[in-house]
Amino acid sequence: EPQRRLAVPRDALIIRADGLYVYRVGGEQRAERVSVEAGVADGDWIAVSGGQLRHGDQVIVRGGETLRGGEKVQVVGIFEEAAPRPVVAGR
């Protein structure tokens, strides 16, 4: 049955031995690590759950694998397509 899920670009997902996570741009332009669980993939997008990620958050799509969290980041491009968005999974 179709379900609404939050999705992020695949390139935003960081896969490490200690878990799955994404980085979002938080207060004072600092990288914030957000743990997530991966769900259904649809092209360049993957559904995520279990974190504090919200629709409209800015996620870091390039360079996240070099971050540890708390670093000051500079946004060099904002693409509406890169923001977490609700998708319908299981069509």
Side-chain angles (χ1 to χ4, degrees), residues 53-89:
L53 203 58
R54 301 285 179 253
H55 176 70
D57 283 349
Q58 289 182 322
V59 294
I60 296 172
V61 177
R62 298 277 187 254
E65 63 279 350
T66 64
L67 297 172
R68 296 190 186 276
E71 296 93 341
K72 194 115 164 125
V73 294
Q74 179 181 4
V75 177
V76 294
I78 298 176
F79 302 97
E80 188 64 32
E81 298 84 31
R85 65 179 180 170
V87 296
V88 177

Side-chain angles (χ1 to χ4, degrees), residues 6-67:
L6 192 64
V8 297
R10 282 181 187 263
D11 290 343
L13 196 61
I14 308 295
I15 304 167
R16 295 288 183 259
D18 63 341
L20 233 48
Y21 49 91
V22 297
Y23 283 100
R24 72 173 160 211
V25 179
E28 298 182 15
Q29 294 295 107
R30 295 199 177 271
E32 295 179 346
R33 180 175 161 166
V34 180
S35 295
V36 295
E37 294 178 21
V40 176
D42 182 13
D44 291 336
W45 292 87
I46 189 158
V48 294
S49 62
Q52 300 170 346
L53 203 58
R54 301 285 179 253
H55 176 70
D57 283 349
Q58 289 182 322
V59 294
I60 296 172
V61 177
R62 298 277 187 254
E65 63 279 350
T66 64
L67 297 172

